[in-house]
Amino acid sequence: FLCSPTFGYLSDKAGRRPLVIAGAAASTIGNLLMAVIPSKITLVVVPVILSISSLALQMSYAIISDLSDPKDLTQNYSLAGFSFGAAFIVGPALGGYLGQNQSPRFP
């Protein structure tokens, strides 16, 4: 709740697309850091970065509302929700499958 107004202000000034790209990049870097550099500082700082970068999800819904016709808005929101839900299910399953013969530290 602290960063959401800041992201809203930045999206008005810089546009939503750069913020979504920056959020996706920060999320990727944060997840790689959690996998590669396990230290006490990493366990404190990286989740903060990941939670801030999760605002890119909210920005994607704002982009959907900007680009959709009012009659198609509900359908587009449900497609986005389905996509994110499917990614949350398929991603960990795929990671478990690919990492079953690797060491636990394999990214």
Side-chain angles (χ1 to χ4, degrees), residues 4 14 22 25 35 37 46-47 69 71 76 91 97-98 105:
S4 186
I37 309 172
V46 174
D69 291 329
K71 63 178 181 157
N76 292 339
Y97 176 74
L98 292 175
R105 304 249 321 129

Side-chain angles (χ1 to χ4, degrees), residues 16-17 19 26 29 32 38-39 53 56 61 81 102 105-106:
R16 290 192 173 105
R17 184 177 182 195
L19 288 177
I29 291 168
L32 287 174
S39 67
S53 67
Y61 281 111
Q102 302 296 330
R105 304 249 321 129
F106 184 72

Side-chain angles (χ1 to χ4, degrees), residues 7 16 19-21 24 37 47-49 59 73 75 81 85 89 91 103 107:
F7 261 62
R16 290 192 173 105
L19 288 177
V20 170
I21 292 170
I37 309 172
V48 172
I49 294 170
M59 288 290 162
L73 189 61
Q75 180 183 5
I89 293 170
S103 71

Side-chain angles (χ1 to χ4, degrees), residues 27-39:
S27 178
T28 302
I29 291 168
N31 284 321
L32 287 174
L33 284 175
M34 287 293 279
V36 176
I37 309 172
S39 67

Side-chain angles (χ1 to χ4, degrees), residues 62-77:
I63 289 171
I64 290 170
S65 69
D66 288 344
L67 297 178
S68 298
D69 291 329
K71 63 178 181 157
D72 296 332
L73 189 61
T74 307
Q75 180 183 5
N76 292 339
Y77 276 146

